[in-house]
Amino acid sequence: MKTLARLGRLTIVALSLLMTARTASAHFLWITIEPPKAGEKAAKIEAFLNETPEPGGPEFLKFVKGVRLTVEGQPLPVSLGEETSNARWVGDLPSMIDATRDLGPLTRGGKTYRLVYSARAQTTTVAIDEKPTGDQLRARLVTKDGKSLVQVLLDGKAVAKARIKVYPEAGEPRELNADDQGLAEIPGLAEGKAALWANWADGTPGETEGIAYSETRYYASLTVCPKPAPASDAPSTAFADLPAPAVNSFGGAVLGDWLYVYSGHVGKTHQYSTETTSRHFRRLNLKDRTTWEDLPMSRDVQGVALVSDGKSLYRVGGMSARNKPDTEHDLHSVADFARFDPETRTWTDLPSLLEPRSTHDAVVIGRKVYAVGGWHMKGETEQATYVEHAEVFDLDHPETGWAKLDQPFQRRALSVAEAGDKLFVLGGLNASMKVERRVDVYDPATGSWGQGPDLPTSARNDGFGTSAFGIGDAVYFSGVAGTVYRLDAEGNAWEALGAWNMPRITHRILPGPDRTLLAVGGNAKGKQVPMIESVPLPQPGLEGKAIANAP
């Protein structure tokens, strides 16, 4: 695909669509957000080119065809409409959605300059001392001394006297200048009743694509869409409630029309005893979302994995606390491996793991169970050690027991998923107590390990206590920030799809009914989360993948 700059040099007609001789009739990049309507789950996001903050017509679509929409630097999957580049967002709206477009060098009136557009849609104000995001020219809505103000920044630094043009909901557009701190008060902006663009020229010459230019002219647009007030106490993502006590660090799986929750932690964070592990094995009817059934348990554990092969459930490893409350921790990882038959509601012990492990994860690929990562806790007298290998179990040949599988890492509090018959290992905590965002990928067909794109960085502890699940050929994951991500079709980048209303860690994300993703249990700010949330997933083939600026 040719760049817009090359198109501009090839035809003056195409350039005239972008900008006329007078700046007042120029066209700019905009983003707008339309919250979900009654009965809908997803907000509608549009990017387009026009002088005003509404789509300018199909002739401008080619100028946004290669624009990336991003949340916290991560792309959104987009598709093209008649006039706009479109994306959807499920769950809690992000505070900002951004886009940029570098149009390269343009020549007008005998002067060559570089033209760079940025666009932002914002749903909440941010404190003025909050670190700015994004480079180039950006506008954002901030609060200072109780007032809502627009702030114009270039590469994160305030732009004094920046030129601003305001488009109010009613009345004629007007122009003004920011003050020496790049600030201006715009009536109606915080309420979503006005939009604006800001302009700045840096006066610095440069060269790109072999063309010299005298300066870079920046244009940054800003629209505001305040988050709608919830219609009730329950967010739109509410699906069901966990029966008391709510749990984190538990085993979770879906089989048929049932969601299964096995044991888990019920106490305060970092406090463990014989009284802080749930003694319940329960399942939720996914059709009526209210019916919970108690099932027979064997051992109560946390840091445990529960997986399904489509017929039975398998419990893998975990940690057992042997100490009484308010006594020295005496925590032991276990090597248990057992099968649960939902028809007979019975457990059958299977060959134990080669080494006890907990805060690991497990997945079924084909007819094999993979147990990956974790550590071996050895009670109050011995130091816990990280397991050095993964293990694999052939369900069709149980007599062979578990076999070692080399893993090129030692991490716990990680998550795993299967997609495209490959094993994905996401994040975790290493032996140096450092949170990692690394993604390792194992191909059982070749017996080889590779690496995928690192987990997106949106919070300091992203990578610790995440959950992941594979649906179709896609891997989904969420962590402490609450954003729901999907690995793109090529496995090269993470795309942001939406966010839970209640961000959590040490939870489980699992497939729900009617192509949805569920967030079950977990811990938020030191407390177990009792609400199960659900977000719809894009239908296969109906959503494009995130695209970079046209090469």
Side-chain angles (χ1 to χ4, degrees), residues 447-469:
S448 60
W449 286 92
Q451 282 190 241
D454 285 354
L455 297 179
T457 301
S458 58
R460 182 171 60 87
N461 288 328
D462 262 358
F464 175 83
T466 66
S467 184
F469 203 88

Side-chain angles (χ1 to χ4, degrees), residues 169-499:
E169 191 175 68
E172 293 297 317
R174 65 187 182 93
E175 291 194 17
L176 68 155
N177 290 97
D179 65 15
D180 290 340
Q181 286 75 47
L183 297 170
E185 187 172 2
I186 311 295
L189 182 64
E191 294 75 35
K193 297 181 179 180
L196 61 85
W197 57 255
N199 164 244
W200 186 255
D202 64 5
T204 304
E207 181 179 317
T208 184
E209 299 179 358
I211 301 174
Y213 55 86
S214 60
E215 64 180 5
T216 299
R217 298 179 184 179
Y218 297 96
Y219 288 86
S221 70
L222 175 65
T223 61
V224 177
C225 174
K227 290 186 180 182
S232 66
D233 292 337
S236 61
T237 55
F239 181 83
D241 291 319
L242 284 170
V247 293
N248 70 294
S249 194
F250 61 98
V254 167
L255 177 56
D257 294 325
W258 297 91
L259 163 68
Y260 293 81
V261 175
Y262 189 94
S263 199
H265 185 239
V266 297
K268 294 182 179 180
T269 302
H270 305 309
Q271 293 187 15
Y272 308 99
S273 74
T274 54
E275 303 300 318
T276 63
T277 307
S278 169
R279 296 184 176 88
H280 295 282
F281 177 34
R282 293 165 165 158
R283 69 177 186 178
L284 169 68
N285 187 313
L286 293 174
K287 289 185 175 180
D288 66 25
R289 306 184 186 186
T290 58
T291 301
W292 283 92
E293 295 182 358
D294 279 291
L295 302 169
M297 276 193 71
S298 43
R299 187 197 295 257
D300 55 301
V301 284
Q302 58 186 281
V304 59
L306 189 72
V307 296
S308 172
D309 65 351
K311 180 180 179 181
S312 302
L313 297 172
Y314 298 87
R315 175 172 54 84
V316 186
M319 182 273 284
S320 176
R322 300 180 185 177
N323 58 287
K324 297 297 182 181
D326 300 320
T327 62
E328 190 74 21
H329 285 167
D330 187 15
L331 313 178
H332 295 260
S333 300
V334 301
D336 295 9
F337 182 49
R339 179 179 63 239
F340 179 75
D341 184 337
E343 296 296 326
T344 63
R345 301 193 179 197
T346 56
W347 285 98
T348 301
D349 288 333
L350 297 173
S352 298
L353 292 161
L354 298 175
E355 181 179 1
R357 68 178 72 206
S358 55
T359 64
H360 59 299
D361 208 357
V363 70
V364 175
I365 302 178
R367 292 292 297 161
K368 293 182 178 180
V369 179
Y370 292 82
V372 183
W375 65 351
H376 182 182
M377 305 186 77
K378 304 175 182 180
E380 60 181 332
T381 59
E382 291 188 57
Q383 185 175 358
T385 58
Y386 280 67
V387 293
E388 298 181 353
H389 57 268
E391 298 185 31
V392 59
F393 186 91
D394 190 336
L395 295 172
D396 291 331
H397 298 281
E399 70 281 357
T400 61
W402 290 89
K404 287 186 177 181
L405 174 66
D406 289 337
Q407 60 181 31
F409 54 82
Q410 293 182 38
R411 305 198 299 269
R412 66 179 183 89
L414 43 63
S415 56
V416 303
E418 178 274 331
D421 294 324
K422 293 182 180 180
L423 169 66
F424 291 79
V425 184
L426 287 69
L429 191 69
N430 64 26
S432 299
M433 300 298 289
K434 179 182 177 182
V435 176
E436 293 198 21
R437 296 182 172 88
R438 172 171 154 171
V439 175
D440 293 275
V441 185
Y442 177 71
D443 186 350
T446 62
S448 60
W449 286 92
Q451 282 190 241
D454 285 354
L455 297 179
T457 301
S458 58
R460 182 171 60 87
N461 288 328
D462 262 358
F464 175 83
T466 66
S467 184
F469 203 88
I471 299 176
D473 290 332
V475 174
Y476 298 85
F477 101 93
S478 68
V480 64
T483 305
V484 179
Y485 294 98
R486 177 180 69 179
L487 190 59
D488 72 12
E490 287 74 27
N492 296 325
W494 291 99
E495 303 168 332
L497 301 178

